[in-house]
Amino acid sequence: MTTLLAGAGHAAAPMAKTQAPGFYRMMLGDIEITALSDGTVALPVDRLLTNTNPARVGRALARSGLSSPLETSVNAYLINTGEKLVLIDTGAAALFGPTLGRLAANLKAAGYQPEQVDEIYLTHLHADHVGGLASDGRMAFPNAVVRADGADADYWLDDTNLSRAKKEDRPAFEAAKSALQPYIEAHRFRPFRGATPLAAGISALPRHGHTAGHTNYLVQSRGQRLMLWGDLIHVAAVQFDQPAVTISFDTNARAAAIERKRAFADAATGNYLVAGAHLSFPGIGRVRASGRGYVWLPVNYTVPR
């Protein structure tokens, strides 16, 4: 009886079922990089991925111990150059349900406040990248200047394109306009065109295809490089091995696949760090060529010094 009572323990304590704050910090030369999680969303990737079929997708996921719907990360990246605080993408806010919209809380947990952000660079204007820009019609980052490729702004902010869009596509146009409107009215939205240096150590590189103005951002310091990919890839377990696989969210699937292959090849050859908005958080790592495909090598956990 004594043995049984001793083994009872205190297992009646409720399960916490929460994660630690969603941020991961590392140094890139003299620049501080902080990955910020906006949360995750379950996506039926077996039905969303194109230029393939559900059976092939299912087999690829199974090889990584995964299945569809796939819990998919939504990541953003905070870059402290020492002179400017720059945020790459802003998450979805409340646009995709209660499992997302955590970027603001994780930004604060990481030791920063929204008022400290000087500039925001958008990889593109899809809702899960711009949703966090505004709250109740107000700028969520009141001192920030927002920048994005003008080709994306021309497409998503155009009322004619909205009127011609399919009913199921109209919320994407409305979300982009709603998120950016406070910054437009405050003259804080400043589009650029193509390859553009934006801040010390940060430049924009066009990777159009996923959207008309989809953009990557290159961060460089002391010979080290980090390429921020945005939505160049959505499902690592499938698309690294099969870069030709596209997704229904692509505006131009053929162009998106071409840009993905180029980006993978360049990252593997250059052996530099990359970060993806939908790679498993923190979404930072390197790419290695393997046969006709590639292998993802997640970053080694480090403590900033």
Side-chain angles (χ1 to χ4, degrees), residues 191-253:
F192 55 83
R193 298 278 175 176
T196 306
L198 297 172
I202 310 175
S203 56
L205 298 174
R207 288 286 184 192
H208 302 173
H210 177 61
T211 64
H214 184 266
T215 298
N216 285 182
Y217 294 98
L218 175 63
V219 186
Q220 303 182 83
S221 177
R222 294 177 58 183
Q224 298 181 40
R225 290 182 288 168
L226 169 67
M227 187 73 77
L228 296 154
W229 271 353
D231 277 14
L232 194 77
I233 180 172
H234 289 80
V235 186
V238 177
Q239 290 174 293
F240 276 118
D241 189 50
Q242 304 170 59
V245 172
T246 48
I247 196 164
S248 59
F249 304 138
D250 291 332
T251 300
N252 185 329

Side-chain angles (χ1 to χ4, degrees), residues 10-282:
H10 301 281
M15 296 182 182
K17 291 190 177 180
T18 57
Q19 282 286 16
F23 70 90
Y24 172 78
R25 184 164 287 141
M26 58 173 281
M27 294 300 296
L28 185 84
D30 293 325
I31 292 178
E32 180 192 80
I33 309 292
T34 305
L36 297 171
S37 173
D38 193 52
T40 64
V41 60
L43 294 179
V45 296
D46 57 336
R47 292 187 277 120
L48 292 174
L49 292 175
T50 52
N51 200 28
T52 184
N53 60 62
R56 289 180 64 191
V57 172
R59 288 193 294 270
L61 291 173
R63 285 194 292 271
S64 295
L66 302 170
S67 61
S68 185
L70 179 66
E71 189 169 2
T72 303
S73 293
V74 176
N75 309 322
Y77 298 91
L78 190 67
I79 304 166
N80 191 336
T81 70
E83 298 176 356
K84 283 189 176 182
L85 190 62
V86 178
L87 179 62
I88 310 294
D89 291 335
T90 66
L95 296 176
F96 289 102
T99 60
L100 292 175
R102 301 178 182 180
L103 183 140
N106 286 325
L107 174 75
K108 293 174 184 177
Y112 291 100
Q113 296 296 320
E115 294 79 8
Q116 293 177 286
V117 176
D118 296 300
E119 299 191 357
I120 297 171
Y121 303 157
L122 301 172
T123 58
H124 60 299
L125 271 58
H126 277 167
D128 54 326
H129 298 259
V130 303
L133 278 173
S135 178
D136 296 325
R138 299 178 182 177
M139 294 184 291
F141 302 91
N143 299 313
V145 169
V146 179
R147 311 211 64 188
D149 192 292
D152 237 45
D154 291 346
Y155 182 80
W156 293 105
L157 302 180
D158 187 86
D159 288 335
T160 301
N161 289 338
L162 169 60
S163 65
R164 293 174 178 171
K166 297 177 182 177
K167 183 178 179 180
E168 61 269 23
D169 294 335
R170 288 178 184 174
F173 288 89
E174 293 164 350
K177 190 168 186 176
S178 175
L180 280 164
Q181 193 61 36
Y183 298 87
I184 294 171
E185 292 175 355
H187 305 288
R188 289 182 171 272
F189 179 51
R190 301 173 189 169
F192 55 83
R193 298 278 175 176
T196 306
L198 297 172
I202 310 175
S203 56
L205 298 174
R207 288 286 184 192
H208 302 173
H210 177 61
T211 64
H214 184 266
T215 298
N216 285 182
Y217 294 98
L218 175 63
V219 186
Q220 303 182 83
S221 177
R222 294 177 58 183
Q224 298 181 40
R225 290 182 288 168
L226 169 67
M227 187 73 77
L228 296 154
W229 271 353
D231 277 14
L232 194 77
I233 180 172
H234 289 80
V235 186
V238 177
Q239 290 174 293
F240 276 118
D241 189 50
Q242 304 170 59
V245 172
T246 48
I247 196 164
S248 59
F249 304 138
D250 291 332
T251 300
N252 185 329
R254 181 176 179 275
I258 290 171
E259 292 294 354
R260 179 164 42 257
K261 292 173 185 177
R262 288 174 178 167
F264 284 5
D266 191 64
T269 301
N271 192 35
Y272 52 76
L273 287 166
V274 301
H278 300 301
L279 296 173
S280 186
F281 184 78

